[in-house]
mmCIF file of all heavy atoms in Angstrom:
data_model
loop_
_atom_site.group_PDB
_atom_site.id
_atom_site.type_symbol
_atom_site.label_atom_id
_atom_site.label_comp_id
_atom_site.label_asym_id
_atom_site.label_seq_id
_atom_site.Cartn_x
_atom_site.Cartn_y
_atom_site.Cartn_z
ATOM 1 N N LEU A 1395 -8.041 3.566 -0.548
ATOM 2 C CA LEU A 1395 -6.852 2.960 -1.130
ATOM 3 C C LEU A 1395 -7.064 1.455 -1.174
ATOM 4 O O LEU A 1395 -7.346 0.827 -0.157
ATOM 5 C CB LEU A 1395 -5.611 3.294 -0.290
ATOM 6 C CG LEU A 1395 -4.296 2.658 -0.727
ATOM 7 C CD1 LEU A 1395 -3.890 3.157 -2.118
ATOM 8 C CD2 LEU A 1395 -3.198 2.943 0.296
ATOM 9 N N TYR A 1396 -6.951 0.876 -2.361
ATOM 10 C CA TYR A 1396 -7.051 -0.566 -2.552
ATOM 11 C C TYR A 1396 -5.638 -1.102 -2.768
ATOM 12 O O TYR A 1396 -4.908 -0.581 -3.618
ATOM 13 C CB TYR A 1396 -7.887 -0.898 -3.792
ATOM 14 C CG TYR A 1396 -9.326 -0.465 -3.690
ATOM 15 C CD1 TYR A 1396 -9.711 0.817 -4.065
ATOM 16 C CD2 TYR A 1396 -10.294 -1.342 -3.219
ATOM 17 C CE1 TYR A 1396 -11.042 1.215 -3.975
ATOM 18 C CE2 TYR A 1396 -11.622 -0.950 -3.128
ATOM 19 C CZ TYR A 1396 -11.985 0.338 -3.501
ATOM 20 O OH TYR A 1396 -13.295 0.719 -3.404
ATOM 21 N N VAL A 1397 -5.238 -2.107 -2.016
ATOM 22 C CA VAL A 1397 -3.916 -2.704 -2.195
ATOM 23 C C VAL A 1397 -4.043 -4.215 -2.349
ATOM 24 O O VAL A 1397 -4.924 -4.836 -1.763
ATOM 25 C CB VAL A 1397 -2.936 -2.364 -1.042
ATOM 26 C CG1 VAL A 1397 -2.695 -0.884 -0.954
ATOM 27 C CG2 VAL A 1397 -3.405 -2.902 0.276
ATOM 28 N N ARG A 1398 -3.146 -4.761 -3.167
ATOM 29 C CA ARG A 1398 -3.127 -6.210 -3.399
ATOM 30 C C ARG A 1398 -1.670 -6.661 -3.485
ATOM 31 O O ARG A 1398 -1.005 -6.427 -4.486
ATOM 32 C CB ARG A 1398 -3.846 -6.554 -4.695
ATOM 33 C CG ARG A 1398 -3.816 -8.047 -5.002
ATOM 34 C CD ARG A 1398 -4.434 -8.397 -6.323
ATOM 35 N NE ARG A 1398 -5.820 -7.976 -6.353
ATOM 36 C CZ ARG A 1398 -6.493 -7.711 -7.466
ATOM 37 N NH1 ARG A 1398 -5.901 -7.819 -8.632
ATOM 38 N NH2 ARG A 1398 -7.743 -7.348 -7.420
ATOM 39 N N PRO A 1399 -1.158 -7.281 -2.413
ATOM 40 C CA PRO A 1399 0.196 -7.831 -2.485
ATOM 41 C C PRO A 1399 0.233 -8.961 -3.514
ATOM 42 O O PRO A 1399 -0.612 -9.851 -3.498
ATOM 43 C CB PRO A 1399 0.449 -8.372 -1.077
ATOM 44 C CG PRO A 1399 -0.554 -7.693 -0.206
ATOM 45 C CD PRO A 1399 -1.739 -7.449 -1.084
ATOM 46 N N LYS A 1400 1.205 -8.899 -4.416
ATOM 47 C CA LYS A 1400 1.321 -9.913 -5.461
ATOM 48 C C LYS A 1400 2.490 -10.858 -5.219
ATOM 49 O O LYS A 1400 2.507 -11.965 -5.729
ATOM 50 C CB LYS A 1400 1.498 -9.237 -6.827
ATOM 51 C CG LYS A 1400 0.330 -8.340 -7.218
ATOM 52 C CD LYS A 1400 -0.962 -9.077 -7.305
ATOM 53 C CE LYS A 1400 -1.102 -9.770 -8.629
ATOM 54 N NZ LYS A 1400 -2.322 -10.509 -8.810
ATOM 55 N N SER A 1401 3.493 -10.394 -4.481
ATOM 56 C CA SER A 1401 4.661 -11.208 -4.154
ATOM 57 C C SER A 1401 5.315 -10.584 -2.924
ATOM 58 O O SER A 1401 4.768 -9.656 -2.341
ATOM 59 C CB SER A 1401 5.639 -11.246 -5.336
ATOM 60 O OG SER A 1401 6.089 -9.948 -5.656
ATOM 61 N N LYS A 1402 6.475 -11.080 -2.539
ATOM 62 C CA LYS A 1402 7.132 -10.554 -1.340
ATOM 63 C C LYS A 1402 7.165 -9.029 -1.382
ATOM 64 O O LYS A 1402 7.424 -8.435 -2.431
ATOM 65 C CB LYS A 1402 8.540 -11.101 -1.210
ATOM 66 C CG LYS A 1402 8.548 -12.563 -0.818
ATOM 67 C CD LYS A 1402 9.945 -13.020 -0.488
ATOM 68 C CE LYS A 1402 9.897 -14.485 -0.138
ATOM 69 N NZ LYS A 1402 10.151 -14.744 1.240
ATOM 70 N N LEU A 1403 6.876 -8.424 -0.233
ATOM 71 C CA LEU A 1403 6.814 -6.975 -0.147
ATOM 72 C C LEU A 1403 8.215 -6.389 -0.241
ATOM 73 O O LEU A 1403 9.152 -6.882 0.382
ATOM 74 C CB LEU A 1403 6.146 -6.562 1.162
ATOM 75 C CG LEU A 1403 4.767 -7.189 1.415
ATOM 76 C CD1 LEU A 1403 4.216 -6.733 2.747
ATOM 77 C CD2 LEU A 1403 3.810 -6.876 0.284
ATOM 78 N N GLU A 1404 8.346 -5.333 -1.046
ATOM 79 C CA GLU A 1404 9.632 -4.685 -1.277
ATOM 80 C C GLU A 1404 9.641 -3.306 -0.624
ATOM 81 O O GLU A 1404 8.592 -2.677 -0.481
ATOM 82 C CB GLU A 1404 9.880 -4.545 -2.782
ATOM 83 C CG GLU A 1404 9.862 -5.869 -3.529
ATOM 84 C CD GLU A 1404 9.883 -5.703 -5.042
ATOM 85 O OE1 GLU A 1404 10.174 -4.587 -5.520
ATOM 86 O OE2 GLU A 1404 9.602 -6.693 -5.728
ATOM 87 N N GLU A 1405 10.813 -2.812 -0.263
ATOM 88 C CA GLU A 1405 10.927 -1.502 0.375
ATOM 89 C C GLU A 1405 10.318 -0.411 -0.508
ATOM 90 O O GLU A 1405 9.606 0.463 -0.023
ATOM 91 C CB GLU A 1405 12.397 -1.195 0.669
ATOM 92 C CG GLU A 1405 12.586 0.014 1.527
ATOM 93 C CD GLU A 1405 14.021 0.165 2.004
ATOM 94 O OE1 GLU A 1405 14.879 -0.664 1.663
ATOM 95 O OE2 GLU A 1405 14.270 1.136 2.727
ATOM 96 N N GLY A 1406 10.549 -0.481 -1.790
ATOM 97 C CA GLY A 1406 10.015 0.516 -2.722
ATOM 98 C C GLY A 1406 8.497 0.534 -2.790
ATOM 99 O O GLY A 1406 7.908 1.559 -3.146
ATOM 100 N N ASP A 1407 7.862 -0.583 -2.461
ATOM 101 C CA ASP A 1407 6.397 -0.633 -2.473
ATOM 102 C C ASP A 1407 5.817 0.436 -1.555
ATOM 103 O O ASP A 1407 4.839 1.101 -1.891
ATOM 104 C CB ASP A 1407 5.883 -1.999 -2.002
ATOM 105 C CG ASP A 1407 6.181 -3.124 -2.972
ATOM 106 O OD1 ASP A 1407 6.384 -2.849 -4.176
ATOM 107 O OD2 ASP A 1407 6.212 -4.280 -2.518
ATOM 108 N N PHE A 1408 6.424 0.596 -0.402
ATOM 109 C CA PHE A 1408 5.876 1.505 0.593
ATOM 110 C C PHE A 1408 6.223 2.954 0.284
ATOM 111 O O PHE A 1408 5.465 3.859 0.607
ATOM 112 C CB PHE A 1408 6.305 1.069 1.995
ATOM 113 C CG PHE A 1408 5.830 -0.335 2.261
ATOM 114 C CD1 PHE A 1408 6.681 -1.409 2.143
ATOM 115 C CD2 PHE A 1408 4.497 -0.574 2.543
ATOM 116 C CE1 PHE A 1408 6.223 -2.707 2.335
ATOM 117 C CE2 PHE A 1408 4.030 -1.860 2.732
ATOM 118 C CZ PHE A 1408 4.891 -2.926 2.630
ATOM 119 N N VAL A 1409 7.334 3.165 -0.406
ATOM 120 C CA VAL A 1409 7.670 4.505 -0.897
ATOM 121 C C VAL A 1409 6.618 4.921 -1.924
ATOM 122 O O VAL A 1409 6.106 6.040 -1.892
ATOM 123 C CB VAL A 1409 9.091 4.525 -1.503
ATOM 124 C CG1 VAL A 1409 9.384 5.846 -2.188
ATOM 125 C CG2 VAL A 1409 10.136 4.221 -0.431
ATOM 126 N N GLN A 1410 6.273 4.005 -2.833
ATOM 127 C CA GLN A 1410 5.271 4.293 -3.860
ATOM 128 C C GLN A 1410 3.883 4.527 -3.243
ATOM 129 O O GLN A 1410 3.163 5.433 -3.662
ATOM 130 C CB GLN A 1410 5.208 3.154 -4.890
ATOM 131 C CG GLN A 1410 6.446 3.048 -5.747
ATOM 132 C CD GLN A 1410 6.703 4.311 -6.548
ATOM 133 O OE1 GLN A 1410 5.800 4.903 -7.117
ATOM 134 N NE2 GLN A 1410 7.951 4.728 -6.587
ATOM 135 N N LEU A 1411 3.514 3.702 -2.260
ATOM 136 C CA LEU A 1411 2.220 3.901 -1.598
ATOM 137 C C LEU A 1411 2.166 5.267 -0.934
ATOM 138 O O LEU A 1411 1.150 5.972 -1.029
ATOM 139 C CB LEU A 1411 1.973 2.809 -0.553
ATOM 140 C CG LEU A 1411 1.531 1.455 -1.057
ATOM 141 C CD1 LEU A 1411 1.419 0.466 0.108
ATOM 142 C CD2 LEU A 1411 0.204 1.546 -1.791
ATOM 143 N N ALA A 1412 3.236 5.650 -0.257
ATOM 144 C CA ALA A 1412 3.272 6.958 0.408
ATOM 145 C C ALA A 1412 3.131 8.079 -0.625
ATOM 146 O O ALA A 1412 2.362 9.026 -0.411
ATOM 147 C CB ALA A 1412 4.550 7.117 1.210
ATOM 148 N N LYS A 1413 3.835 7.982 -1.738
ATOM 149 C CA LYS A 1413 3.724 8.991 -2.794
ATOM 150 C C LYS A 1413 2.294 9.081 -3.321
ATOM 151 O O LYS A 1413 1.805 10.142 -3.636
ATOM 152 C CB LYS A 1413 4.667 8.670 -3.952
ATOM 153 C CG LYS A 1413 6.108 8.995 -3.681
ATOM 154 C CD LYS A 1413 6.958 8.666 -4.907
ATOM 155 C CE LYS A 1413 8.422 8.896 -4.635
ATOM 156 N NZ LYS A 1413 9.259 8.549 -5.782
ATOM 157 N N ALA A 1414 1.648 7.928 -3.416
ATOM 158 C CA ALA A 1414 0.284 7.880 -3.959
ATOM 159 C C ALA A 1414 -0.735 8.505 -3.018
ATOM 160 O O ALA A 1414 -1.704 9.103 -3.471
ATOM 161 C CB ALA A 1414 -0.109 6.437 -4.268
ATOM 162 N N VAL A 1415 -0.533 8.368 -1.716
ATOM 163 C CA VAL A 1415 -1.577 8.809 -0.776
ATOM 164 C C VAL A 1415 -1.264 10.084 -0.008
ATOM 165 O O VAL A 1415 -2.192 10.744 0.464
ATOM 166 C CB VAL A 1415 -1.952 7.702 0.237
ATOM 167 C CG1 VAL A 1415 -2.439 6.461 -0.470
ATOM 168 C CG2 VAL A 1415 -0.812 7.380 1.173
ATOM 169 N N ASP A 1416 -0.001 10.453 0.145
ATOM 170 C CA ASP A 1416 0.331 11.587 1.006
ATOM 171 C C ASP A 1416 -0.321 12.898 0.568
ATOM 172 O O ASP A 1416 -0.875 13.624 1.395
ATOM 173 C CB ASP A 1416 1.837 11.757 1.141
ATOM 174 C CG ASP A 1416 2.466 10.716 2.058
ATOM 175 O OD1 ASP A 1416 1.707 9.968 2.731
ATOM 176 O OD2 ASP A 1416 3.701 10.641 2.103
ATOM 177 N N SER A 1417 -0.279 13.217 -0.718
ATOM 178 C CA SER A 1417 -0.899 14.472 -1.166
ATOM 179 C C SER A 1417 -2.419 14.408 -1.004
ATOM 180 O O SER A 1417 -3.062 15.409 -0.668
ATOM 181 C CB SER A 1417 -0.514 14.800 -2.606
ATOM 182 O OG SER A 1417 -0.959 13.788 -3.482
ATOM 183 N N HIS A 1418 -2.990 13.234 -1.227
ATOM 184 C CA HIS A 1418 -4.441 13.073 -1.042
ATOM 185 C C HIS A 1418 -4.817 13.270 0.428
ATOM 186 O O HIS A 1418 -5.789 13.964 0.733
ATOM 187 C CB HIS A 1418 -4.887 11.689 -1.527
ATOM 188 C CG HIS A 1418 -6.346 11.448 -1.385
ATOM 189 N ND1 HIS A 1418 -7.268 11.966 -2.267
ATOM 190 C CD2 HIS A 1418 -7.055 10.774 -0.444
ATOM 191 C CE1 HIS A 1418 -8.482 11.608 -1.875
ATOM 192 N NE2 HIS A 1418 -8.370 10.879 -0.778
ATOM 193 N N ILE A 1419 -4.041 12.682 1.326
ATOM 194 C CA ILE A 1419 -4.299 12.847 2.757
ATOM 195 C C ILE A 1419 -4.125 14.303 3.161
ATOM 196 O O ILE A 1419 -4.919 14.843 3.937
ATOM 197 C CB ILE A 1419 -3.383 11.917 3.584
ATOM 198 C CG1 ILE A 1419 -3.810 10.465 3.406
ATOM 199 C CG2 ILE A 1419 -3.401 12.304 5.053
ATOM 200 C CD1 ILE A 1419 -2.869 9.444 4.026
ATOM 201 N N GLU A 1420 -3.125 14.957 2.616
ATOM 202 C CA GLU A 1420 -2.905 16.376 2.923
ATOM 203 C C GLU A 1420 -4.103 17.217 2.482
ATOM 204 O O GLU A 1420 -4.538 18.113 3.197
ATOM 205 C CB GLU A 1420 -1.629 16.859 2.240
ATOM 206 C CG GLU A 1420 -1.177 18.223 2.702
ATOM 207 C CD GLU A 1420 0.183 18.584 2.149
ATOM 208 O OE1 GLU A 1420 1.104 17.756 2.273
ATOM 209 O OE2 GLU A 1420 0.309 19.691 1.600
ATOM 210 N N GLU A 1421 -4.643 16.900 1.312
ATOM 211 C CA GLU A 1421 -5.821 17.601 0.787
ATOM 212 C C GLU A 1421 -7.080 17.323 1.602
ATOM 213 O O GLU A 1421 -7.826 18.228 1.944
ATOM 214 C CB GLU A 1421 -6.099 17.114 -0.644
ATOM 215 C CG GLU A 1421 -5.779 18.075 -1.720
ATOM 216 C CD GLU A 1421 -6.091 17.444 -3.074
ATOM 217 O OE1 GLU A 1421 -7.196 16.899 -3.270
ATOM 218 O OE2 GLU A 1421 -5.194 17.509 -3.932
ATOM 219 N N ARG A 1422 -7.334 16.042 1.874
ATOM 220 C CA ARG A 1422 -8.587 15.612 2.498
ATOM 221 C C ARG A 1422 -8.507 15.417 4.014
ATOM 222 O O ARG A 1422 -9.527 15.259 4.669
ATOM 223 C CB ARG A 1422 -9.059 14.291 1.877
ATOM 224 C CG ARG A 1422 -9.238 14.287 0.372
ATOM 225 C CD ARG A 1422 -10.565 14.804 -0.120
ATOM 226 N NE ARG A 1422 -11.707 14.016 0.228
ATOM 227 C CZ ARG A 1422 -12.310 13.137 -0.544
ATOM 228 N NH1 ARG A 1422 -11.823 12.877 -1.734
ATOM 229 N NH2 ARG A 1422 -13.375 12.503 -0.130
ATOM 230 N N GLY A 1423 -7.300 15.337 4.565
ATOM 231 C CA GLY A 1423 -7.146 15.134 5.998
ATOM 232 C C GLY A 1423 -7.034 13.676 6.412
ATOM 233 O O GLY A 1423 -6.535 13.383 7.489
ATOM 234 N N SER A 1424 -7.513 12.772 5.566
ATOM 235 C CA SER A 1424 -7.445 11.348 5.885
ATOM 236 C C SER A 1424 -7.891 10.538 4.673
ATOM 237 O O SER A 1424 -8.350 11.092 3.684
ATOM 238 C CB SER A 1424 -8.346 11.013 7.079
ATOM 239 O OG SER A 1424 -9.701 11.209 6.738
ATOM 240 N N LEU A 1425 -7.754 9.228 4.802
ATOM 241 C CA LEU A 1425 -8.359 8.297 3.848
ATOM 242 C C LEU A 1425 -9.612 7.742 4.507
ATOM 243 O O LEU A 1425 -9.593 7.420 5.705
ATOM 244 C CB LEU A 1425 -7.420 7.121 3.541
ATOM 245 C CG LEU A 1425 -6.263 7.366 2.592
ATOM 246 C CD1 LEU A 1425 -5.354 6.138 2.554
ATOM 247 C CD2 LEU A 1425 -6.745 7.681 1.205
ATOM 248 N N ALA A 1426 -10.672 7.620 3.758
ATOM 249 C CA ALA A 1426 -11.895 7.021 4.307
ATOM 250 C C ALA A 1426 -11.677 5.534 4.561
ATOM 251 O O ALA A 1426 -12.253 4.971 5.486
ATOM 252 C CB ALA A 1426 -13.070 7.224 3.362
ATOM 253 N N GLY A 1427 -10.826 4.906 3.757
ATOM 254 C CA GLY A 1427 -10.621 3.481 3.946
ATOM 255 C C GLY A 1427 -9.416 2.933 3.217
ATOM 256 O O GLY A 1427 -8.893 3.536 2.294
ATOM 257 N N LEU A 1428 -9.009 1.775 3.692
ATOM 258 C CA LEU A 1428 -7.956 0.970 3.083
ATOM 259 C C LEU A 1428 -8.524 -0.426 2.940
ATOM 260 O O LEU A 1428 -9.004 -1.011 3.918
ATOM 261 C CB LEU A 1428 -6.714 0.937 3.981
ATOM 262 C CG LEU A 1428 -5.640 -0.095 3.650
ATOM 263 C CD1 LEU A 1428 -5.019 0.181 2.285
ATOM 264 C CD2 LEU A 1428 -4.567 -0.113 4.733
ATOM 265 N N ILE A 1429 -8.503 -0.947 1.732
ATOM 266 C CA ILE A 1429 -8.972 -2.312 1.491
ATOM 267 C C ILE A 1429 -7.784 -3.129 1.001
ATOM 268 O O ILE A 1429 -7.145 -2.784 0.008
ATOM 269 C CB ILE A 1429 -10.132 -2.350 0.479
ATOM 270 C CG1 ILE A 1429 -11.321 -1.589 1.060
ATOM 271 C CG2 ILE A 1429 -10.500 -3.800 0.153
ATOM 272 C CD1 ILE A 1429 -12.515 -1.493 0.155
ATOM 273 N N ILE A 1430 -7.482 -4.183 1.739
ATOM 274 C CA ILE A 1430 -6.368 -5.063 1.420
ATOM 275 C C ILE A 1430 -6.942 -6.371 0.900
ATOM 276 O O ILE A 1430 -7.683 -7.053 1.605
ATOM 277 C CB ILE A 1430 -5.506 -5.338 2.665
ATOM 278 C CG1 ILE A 1430 -5.016 -4.022 3.279
ATOM 279 C CG2 ILE A 1430 -4.342 -6.261 2.325
ATOM 280 C CD1 ILE A 1430 -4.474 -4.166 4.677
ATOM 281 N N GLU A 1431 -6.616 -6.701 -0.337
ATOM 282 C CA GLU A 1431 -7.051 -7.975 -0.918
ATOM 283 C C GLU A 1431 -5.849 -8.905 -0.943
ATOM 284 O O GLU A 1431 -4.841 -8.614 -1.584
ATOM 285 C CB GLU A 1431 -7.571 -7.771 -2.340
ATOM 286 C CG GLU A 1431 -8.096 -9.025 -2.960
ATOM 287 C CD GLU A 1431 -8.605 -8.819 -4.367
ATOM 288 O OE1 GLU A 1431 -8.955 -7.684 -4.733
ATOM 289 O OE2 GLU A 1431 -8.647 -9.814 -5.108
ATOM 290 N N VAL A 1432 -5.952 -10.014 -0.208
ATOM 291 C CA VAL A 1432 -4.796 -10.889 -0.050
ATOM 292 C C VAL A 1432 -5.251 -12.342 0.082
ATOM 293 O O VAL A 1432 -6.258 -12.621 0.712
ATOM 294 C CB VAL A 1432 -3.955 -10.441 1.175
ATOM 295 C CG1 VAL A 1432 -4.732 -10.568 2.453
ATOM 296 C CG2 VAL A 1432 -2.656 -11.173 1.277
ATOM 297 N N THR A 1433 -4.497 -13.244 -0.537
ATOM 298 C CA THR A 1433 -4.797 -14.667 -0.359
ATOM 299 C C THR A 1433 -3.955 -15.245 0.766
ATOM 300 O O THR A 1433 -4.377 -16.158 1.454
ATOM 301 C CB THR A 1433 -4.546 -15.462 -1.652
ATOM 302 O OG1 THR A 1433 -3.219 -15.230 -2.091
ATOM 303 C CG2 THR A 1433 -5.519 -15.045 -2.737
ATOM 304 N N SER A 1434 -2.750 -14.711 0.940
ATOM 305 C CA SER A 1434 -1.890 -15.100 2.059
ATOM 306 C C SER A 1434 -0.845 -14.011 2.223
ATOM 307 O O SER A 1434 -0.552 -13.269 1.281
ATOM 308 C CB SER A 1434 -1.222 -16.449 1.817
ATOM 309 O OG SER A 1434 -0.333 -16.364 0.722
ATOM 310 N N PHE A 1435 -0.287 -13.903 3.407
ATOM 311 C CA PHE A 1435 0.741 -12.896 3.628
ATOM 312 C C PHE A 1435 2.019 -13.355 2.948
ATOM 313 O O PHE A 1435 2.577 -14.399 3.291
ATOM 314 C CB PHE A 1435 0.966 -12.673 5.126
ATOM 315 C CG PHE A 1435 1.992 -11.612 5.416
ATOM 316 C CD1 PHE A 1435 1.724 -10.287 5.128
ATOM 317 C CD2 PHE A 1435 3.228 -11.951 5.933
ATOM 318 C CE1 PHE A 1435 2.670 -9.298 5.359
ATOM 319 C CE2 PHE A 1435 4.183 -10.971 6.185
ATOM 320 C CZ PHE A 1435 3.903 -9.645 5.898
ATOM 321 N N PRO A 1436 2.530 -12.576 1.956
ATOM 322 C CA PRO A 1436 3.677 -13.039 1.178
ATOM 323 C C PRO A 1436 5.026 -12.861 1.853
ATOM 324 O O PRO A 1436 6.030 -13.357 1.357
ATOM 325 C CB PRO A 1436 3.595 -12.174 -0.079
ATOM 326 C CG PRO A 1436 2.959 -10.908 0.379
ATOM 327 C CD PRO A 1436 1.984 -11.314 1.459
ATOM 328 N N GLY A 1437 5.092 -12.141 2.957
ATOM 329 C CA GLY A 1437 6.361 -11.876 3.623
ATOM 330 C C GLY A 1437 7.058 -10.679 3.004
ATOM 331 O O GLY A 1437 6.522 -9.992 2.140
ATOM 332 N N TRP A 1438 8.275 -10.430 3.474
ATOM 333 C CA TRP A 1438 9.063 -9.297 2.999
ATOM 334 C C TRP A 1438 10.269 -9.792 2.239
ATOM 335 O O TRP A 1438 10.848 -10.824 2.558
ATOM 336 C CB TRP A 1438 9.535 -8.443 4.179
ATOM 337 C CG TRP A 1438 8.421 -7.866 4.979
ATOM 338 C CD1 TRP A 1438 7.692 -6.751 4.689
ATOM 339 C CD2 TRP A 1438 7.897 -8.357 6.217
ATOM 340 N NE1 TRP A 1438 6.749 -6.530 5.679
ATOM 341 C CE2 TRP A 1438 6.860 -7.495 6.626
ATOM 342 C CE3 TRP A 1438 8.213 -9.442 7.044
ATOM 343 C CZ2 TRP A 1438 6.136 -7.679 7.801
ATOM 344 C CZ3 TRP A 1438 7.496 -9.632 8.207
ATOM 345 C CH2 TRP A 1438 6.470 -8.751 8.579
ATOM 346 N N GLU A 1439 10.701 -9.016 1.270
ATOM 347 C CA GLU A 1439 11.873 -9.366 0.478
ATOM 348 C C GLU A 1439 13.166 -9.199 1.286
ATOM 349 O O GLU A 1439 14.140 -9.914 1.066
ATOM 350 C CB GLU A 1439 11.923 -8.489 -0.770
ATOM 351 C CG GLU A 1439 13.052 -8.815 -1.699
ATOM 352 C CD GLU A 1439 13.038 -7.951 -2.935
ATOM 353 O OE1 GLU A 1439 13.374 -6.758 -2.828
ATOM 354 O OE2 GLU A 1439 12.677 -8.496 -3.987
ATOM 355 N N SER A 1440 13.147 -8.246 2.236
ATOM 356 C CA SER A 1440 14.359 -7.954 3.001
ATOM 357 C C SER A 1440 13.990 -7.287 4.321
ATOM 358 O O SER A 1440 12.836 -6.902 4.537
ATOM 359 C CB SER A 1440 15.259 -7.008 2.202
ATOM 360 O OG SER A 1440 14.615 -5.751 2.047
#
């Protein structure tokens, strides 16, 4: 899973990430890796 925060993190971001990976994890048992590309931590919207 490759992730790149573009602006303040939103609650829906993590719902979407879970939807994207949960079925894959269920199929494969795990993710081999997570790569986070970030220039600075943008903080949270709420």
Side-chain angles (χ1 to χ4, degrees):
L1395 176 64
Y1396 296 87
V1397 298
R1398 178 184 300 156
K1400 299 300 278 180
S1401 60
K1402 288 189 181 249
L1403 306 179
E1404 302 171 14
E1405 190 170 1
D1407 291 337
F1408 301 100
V1409 172
Q1410 292 300 317
L1411 282 176
K1413 284 181 184 178
V1415 302
D1416 285 351
S1417 61
H1418 180 78
I1419 289 172
E1420 191 172 310
E1421 253 179 50
R1422 304 276 294 261
S1424 66
L1425 283 173
L1428 167 64
I1429 297 178
I1430 304 165
E1431 183 180 337
V1432 63
T1433 55
S1434 65
F1435 182 69
W1438 299 279
E1439 183 178 73
S1440 65

